[in-house]
Amino acid sequence: MKKIATADAVGHVLCHDITQIIKDKTKGPVFRKGHIVTEEDIPVLLSVGKEHLFVWEKKEGILHEDEAAQILFDICRGEGMSGSEPKEGKIELTAERDGLLKIDRKKLKAINSLGEMMIATRNGDFPVKKGDKLAGTRIIPLVIEEEKMNRAKEIAGEDAILQILPFRPKKAGIVTTGNEVFSGRIKDTFGPVIREKLAEYPTEVLGQTISNDKKENITKAIMEYIDQGADLICCTGGMSVDPDDCTPGAIMDTGARIVSYGAPVLPGAMLLVAYYEKDGKSIPILGLPGCVMYAKRTIFDLVLPRIMADDPITAEDLAALGEGGLCLNCKTCTFPNCGFGKGKA
């Protein structure tokens, strides 16, 4: 840094805060460290007794914090996002539409590992709404080498680190199994829960079929909804490993590709995820464990947003939910603003 006359400071970067004190009115920084001095600032600076200033020397290949934050913002920003004005070297990203937030975690970690720069985001694979804050970017020092920012751009490549996948309208079929429900001995309480969860997204429920525990009848019910044009099938009941629980086998008998039967999540360990291929389209079939019927938050709340955004679920994705996969059943539920489902990829 160097000392220069205030009158010559236009375009230079302040190395420290400039405090203004007005008796009985204000005491605080009138300009923050990192501020770029403008022509209009000169009278203000002189009025607070600053005839000389300490500023950073602008050198070739060195970027100011606001310039660097803009680069990080550009690296992060996907469609449907906007950014704040740079403030003290920080830019925040905000959602401009509803959808599923996706984060390229490998790129994010690699850039944050470069040092002297940071990108902080909310958790990915969760729904966001228009107006939600998504991330903040800044560099740690006041200035940084341009070459280092170029390395960050190289890591990021052409695709933005953050994406918002829009939720797609879907037609859903519900297949409820169980002799006790089929015979009318007990009332179905599973269907209303599924309908309520689906209602949070753009869905049309084609209907609900109640089947007995015969595997072939369950398979038939699933295939009938697929033939009706269903984009999603939710199967409830019969998902345990008891010999008379036939839903997993019935889903397999459709010819669907089984992604996983089981997930490291409580409540929700007995989840089955499968995809049925038809006319070039992958139709998700979910076998939902009984906990979805009575627990406030379960594995269903973690996979449904991804299903609705056409974000394919892999066995690796489910395995990564182990850390954070234990719901603590808090007296006051704050999901998704809690640790549930925040697995480590």
Side-chain angles (χ1 to χ4, degrees):
M1 61 183 179
K2 64 178 179 179
K3 182 180 180 180
I4 63 173
T6 298
D8 300 326
V10 174
H12 288 275
V13 180
L14 294 177
C15 292
H16 55 87
D17 293 349
I18 304 294
T19 300
Q20 183 181 51
I21 302 175
I22 301 177
K23 188 175 182 299
D24 299 327
K25 288 187 178 182
T26 183
K27 177 183 178 181
V30 63
F31 297 112
R32 293 282 189 183
K33 180 182 73 171
H35 176 73
I36 300 175
V37 180
T38 68
E39 191 71 45
E40 293 75 17
D41 297 336
I42 302 302
V44 180
L45 289 164
L46 293 173
S47 73
V48 296
K50 296 296 180 181
E51 295 186 357
H52 293 84
L53 298 172
F54 286 96
V55 297
W56 288 100
E57 291 188 74
K58 179 65 175 176
K59 294 182 179 179
E60 190 70 28
I62 299 295
L63 299 178
H64 177 256
E65 60 180 354
D66 285 351
E67 297 173 295
Q70 183 65 47
I71 291 172
L72 294 176
F73 167 75
D74 293 338
I75 285 171
C76 289
R77 184 188 185 186
E79 290 186 18
M81 303 177 197
S82 62
S84 63
E85 290 295 320
K87 183 179 181 182
E88 298 176 13
K90 180 174 70 175
I91 299 178
E92 294 181 342
L93 287 86
T94 301
E96 289 296 308
R97 67 185 185 196
D98 296 354
L100 180 78
L101 178 64
K102 296 294 295 182
I103 298 172
D104 190 320
R105 296 183 175 99
K106 289 183 179 179
K107 289 182 181 180
L108 179 65
K109 183 176 181 180
I111 290 172
N112 280 331
S113 297
L114 290 174
E116 295 191 318
M117 65 186 76
M118 55 78 65
I119 302 168
T121 75
R122 67 194 297 151
N123 285 96
D125 293 332
F126 278 83
V128 295
K129 292 186 177 297
K130 182 179 179 179
D132 283 351
K133 187 185 297 184
L134 304 178
T137 70
R138 71 169 303 161
I139 62 167
I140 307 305
L142 185 60
V143 294
I144 193 170
E145 295 89 346
E146 186 175 11
E147 185 273 333
K148 201 162 197 176
M149 299 310 302
N150 287 337
R151 272 193 280 163
K153 288 193 285 187
E154 288 173 8
I155 291 171
E158 296 296 322
D159 297 326
I161 292 177
L162 275 62
Q163 300 284 344
I164 298 177
L165 304 183
F167 296 125
R168 306 294 185 183
K170 294 193 182 301
K171 296 178 181 179
I174 304 172
V175 177
T176 298
T177 67
N179 287 333
E180 67 281 11
V181 181
F182 181 76
S183 64
R185 288 194 296 269
I186 67 169
K187 181 182 178 181
D188 168 54
T189 54
F190 221 140
V193 173
I194 303 304
R195 289 175 183 270
E196 183 179 353
K197 299 281 188 182
L198 293 176
E200 297 177 14
Y201 301 92
T203 55
E204 174 192 349
V205 177
L206 295 176
Q208 179 180 6
T209 300
I210 298 178
S211 171
N212 58 21
D213 286 325
K214 290 185 177 180
K215 187 168 63 169
E216 60 269 24
N217 290 340
I218 301 170
T219 301
K220 179 182 177 183
I222 295 171
M223 295 308 300
E224 285 176 348
Y225 280 121
I226 290 176
D227 290 341
Q228 291 177 42
D231 305 298
L232 165 65
I233 312 293
C234 295
C235 299
T236 68
M239 284 303 302
S240 77
V241 293
D242 294 343
D244 57 349
D245 282 338
C246 300
T247 303
I251 295 173
M252 294 175 190
D253 284 352
T254 65
R257 174 176 57 87
I258 306 299
V259 173
S260 178
Y261 178 24
V265 175
L266 293 173
M270 305 306 292
L271 172 78
L272 188 149
V273 177
Y275 287 93
Y276 184 89
E277 304 296 330
K278 182 180 180 181
D279 300 330
K281 183 172 68 172
S282 294
I283 302 170
I285 303 176
L286 302 179
L288 300 175
C291 60
V292 176
M293 177 172 54
Y294 58 82
K296 187 173 182 62
R297 297 297 179 182
T298 69
I299 184 68
F300 191 38
D301 298 285
L302 304 182
V303 301
L304 183 58
R306 297 189 59 180
I307 295 290
M308 297 306 302
D310 289 338
D311 183 31
I313 296 172
T314 67
E316 291 76 15
D317 293 335
L318 294 173
L321 292 174
E323 182 178 357
L326 178 64
C327 177
L328 300 180
N329 297 311
C330 303
K331 188 174 181 180
T332 301
C333 180
T334 60
F335 180 85
N337 300 318
C338 66
F340 182 52
K342 308 298 195 299
K344 305 296 183 184

